[in-house]
């Protein structure tokens, strides 16, 4: 039998050496995080910069007033809340080239030090990652295992699902259990995560609403988020897309359906000027050159030519084309 006194000493000595060992390990880990040797799920590598996000959304994103307020407020309130009741789930809808990926990048860039290269930022492209409807069950299983693994590593992860219009029907419901109010699923808490879905679904309806507002003589800034929520929810649930008949829409697990409006001439002109600025040309740009670039784009509706058919996509190529000649 061990003597109680020496046992006490043994326990104390063992405990203190374990304590020093742990301190050394954690100290080393913290040092490794600080010197960027490894990415850590803490304040060294997850540094929300709301001033930066507000600046980017206000100054670099054109024609999307609703997106500005919805995204800024929802991201800020979710991250500042020490105990969010559920993961933040946003679904971005709109015409091609209207800024959905661009805004997603702004969010990532202002939250994670390593930006898109962060191992806590996960991007799926339905067209690439979930190509085959026949592998639906396999994708579902993989997605769940994978979500569990990644959120175990870092509870403040962000998941981006691009091209939702091309996702096999039924697949998105694999993430449904993680979007609700469950404090823990198999020991993992998903409530600090952010999920963003991107799609063109509802783009036509958004454009139609903007056009009707324009025809009635009102500015599109009079359109409220609440005017669009029900419409987008309905279109997402019924139209052919990854959301069709999905439980996450039915059970109201998407916090915000965010509409991206089509870009008008004044917005596209700003995109063109931004692209030209990047070229660092040593001469003034003529307004005739800007108009020439605008003419290279297609405009809809064809009779009114109000909105760019490709938004601000392909602007760099058109700038190159016109200025190189
Ligand atoms: N509203 C905007 N304000 C300023 N620049 C924009 C805007 N929308 C798009 N751009 C520019 O156009 C590029 C392409 O836009 P983006 O990839 O975000 O479009 P998208 O809406 O995601 O399109 P898609 O539906 O085809 O994926 C951006 O990288 C950005 O440079």
């Amino acid at each position: 039998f061990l003597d109680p006194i020496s046992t006490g000493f043994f326990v104390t000595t063992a405990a203190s050496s374990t304590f020093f060992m742990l301190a050394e390990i954690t100290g080393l880990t913290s040092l490794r995080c600080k010197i960027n040797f490894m990415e850590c799920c803490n304040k060294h590598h997850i540094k929300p910069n709301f001033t930066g996000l507000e600046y980017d959304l206000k100054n670099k994103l054109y024609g999307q007033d609703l997106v500005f307020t919805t995204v800024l407020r929802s991201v800020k309130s979710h991250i500042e809340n020490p105990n969010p009741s559920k993961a933040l789930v946003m679904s971005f809808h709109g015409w091609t080239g209207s800024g959905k990926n661009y805004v997603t990048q702004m969010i990532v860039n202002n939250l994670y030090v390593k930006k898109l290269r962060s191992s806590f930022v996960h991007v799926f492209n339905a067209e690439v990652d979930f190509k085959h409807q026949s592998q639906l069950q396999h994708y579902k299983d993989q997605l769940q295992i994978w979500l569990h693994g990644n959120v175990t590593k870092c509870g403040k992860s962000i998941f981006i699902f691009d091209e939702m219009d091309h996702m096999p029907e039924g697949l998105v419901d694999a993430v449904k259990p993680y979007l609700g109010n469950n404090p823990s699923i198999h020991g993992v808490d998903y409530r600090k995560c952010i999920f963003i879905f991107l799609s063109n679904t509802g783009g036509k309806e958004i454009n139609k609403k903007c056009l009707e507002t324009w025809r009635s003589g009102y500015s599109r800034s009079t359109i409220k988020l609440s005017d669009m929520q029900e419409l987008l929810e309905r279109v997402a649930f019924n139209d052919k897309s990854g959301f069709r008949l999905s439980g996450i829409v039915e059970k109201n697990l998407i916090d915000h359906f965010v509409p991206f409006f089509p870009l008008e001439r004044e917005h596209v002109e700003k995109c063109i000027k931004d692209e030209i600025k990047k070229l660092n040309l040593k001469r003034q740009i003529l307004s005739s050159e800007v108009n020439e670039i605008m003419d290279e784009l297609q405009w809809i509706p064809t009779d009114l030519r109000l909105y760019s058919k490709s938004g601000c996509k392909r602007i760099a190529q058109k700038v190159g084309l016109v200025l190189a000649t």
Side-chain angles (χ1 to χ4, degrees):
F1 294 100
L2 286 168
D3 169 52
I5 297 174
S6 58
T7 313
F9 173 75
F10 173 77
V11 171
T12 318
T13 315
S16 56
S17 61
T18 313
F19 172 79
F20 285 119
M21 251 170 64
L22 272 176
E24 201 184 323
I25 291 168
T26 40
L28 208 62
T29 306
S30 155
L31 183 68
R32 280 180 177 166
C33 299
K34 267 190 212 156
I35 60 172
N36 257 351
F37 186 74
M38 59 187 251
E39 192 184 19
C40 304
C41 179
N42 61 23
K43 63 178 180 359
H44 294 300
H45 289 103
I46 303 179
K47 281 190 188 162
N49 176 3
F50 299 118
T51 317
L53 182 58
E54 181 168 359
Y55 180 89
D56 287 352
L57 290 167
K58 195 182 253 171
N59 298 293
K60 298 181 188 169
L61 179 74
Y62 309 129
Q64 307 294 4
D65 297 353
L66 267 186
V67 176
F68 169 74
T69 36
T70 315
V71 167
L72 185 64
R73 285 184 195 166
S74 50
V75 170
K76 194 166 185 272
S77 64
H78 180 76
I79 288 177
E80 282 181 345
N81 183 349
N83 297 303
S85 59
K86 69 185 282 302
L88 173 64
V89 188
M90 295 185 288
S91 190
F92 293 175
H93 297 261
W95 203 251
T96 183
S98 54
K100 300 179 294 298
N101 276 286
Y102 193 43
V103 169
T104 306
Q105 268 177 38
M106 287 178 183
I107 297 172
V108 167
N109 291 349
N110 285 291
L111 294 185
Y112 298 90
V113 172
K114 291 194 160 204
K115 304 183 177 179
L116 275 174
R117 284 178 295 107
S118 167
S119 55
F120 311 131
V121 176
H122 309 281
V123 185
F124 296 97
N125 184 310
E127 270 188 312
V128 178
D129 300 308
F130 312 117
K131 277 196 283 206
H132 310 291
Q133 179 83 41
S134 58
Q135 293 190 28
L136 181 64
Q137 194 52 50
H138 172 70
Y139 292 149
K140 276 185 160 182
D141 296 342
Q142 290 298 309
L143 202 51
Q144 293 195 333
I145 293 170
W146 193 84
L147 274 171
H148 179 268
N150 281 299
V151 182
T152 303
K153 257 187 11 199
C154 185
K156 292 181 179 171
S157 296
I158 185 162
F159 298 95
I160 299 154
F161 293 84
D162 196 7
E163 306 285 351
M164 278 302 290
D165 355 19
H166 301 280
M167 188 184 251
E169 211 179 300
L171 176 55
V172 77
D173 279 345
V175 303
K176 187 175 148 224
Y178 313 106
L179 308 185
N181 298 75
N182 275 334
S184 151
I185 301 172
H186 292 147
V188 179
D189 186 354
Y190 294 81
R191 294 174 301 172
K192 288 191 175 157
C193 294
I194 298 179
F195 290 81
I196 302 178
F197 299 103
L198 314 180
S199 73
N200 298 127
T201 308
K204 270 190 204 148
E205 288 75 5
I206 295 169
N207 291 6
K208 193 169 160 236
K209 176 81 184 170
C210 288
L211 188 59
E212 280 167 9
T213 310
W214 179 85
R215 281 201 165 115
S216 329
Y218 290 104
S219 153
R220 64 201 224 165
S221 61
T222 56
I223 303 174
K224 295 199 278 306
L225 187 66
S226 54
D227 298 333
M228 305 301 298
Q229 293 288 287
E230 207 191 309
L231 173 78
L232 289 177
E233 202 167 331
R234 190 162 26 85
V235 174
F237 193 71
N238 294 306
D239 276 17
K240 190 181 171 325
S241 88
F243 288 123
R244 191 174 145 76
L245 307 178
S246 76
I248 71 163
V249 176
E250 194 186 13
K251 296 283 179 205
N252 299 308
L253 293 173
I254 297 179
D255 301 308
H256 309 290
F257 287 89
V258 187
F260 281 68
F261 292 166
L263 297 182
E264 296 173 347
R265 300 186 78 85
E266 59 166 310
H267 310 126
V268 175
E269 197 172 320
K270 286 181 185 166
C271 288
I272 293 175
K273 288 183 176 159
D274 284 351
E275 271 316 316
I276 294 177
K277 221 181 267 171
K278 284 188 209 161
L279 297 175
N280 265 331
L281 296 179
K282 293 193 172 50
R283 65 171 181 92
Q284 285 284 314
I285 295 299
L286 308 170
S287 57
S288 61
E289 286 174 311
V290 173
N291 288 337
E292 206 181 322
I293 297 164
M294 301 269 265
D295 287 343
E296 283 293 324
L297 300 167
Q298 286 175 282
W299 299 86
I300 50 170
T302 37
D303 52 338
L304 297 168
R305 294 172 61 82
L306 282 180
Y307 311 124
S308 161
K309 197 175 174 191
S310 50
C312 272
K313 251 185 177 174
R314 291 200 257 145
I315 296 285
Q317 292 83 336
K318 300 296 177 194
V319 167
L321 188 75
V322 170
L323 296 188
T325 52

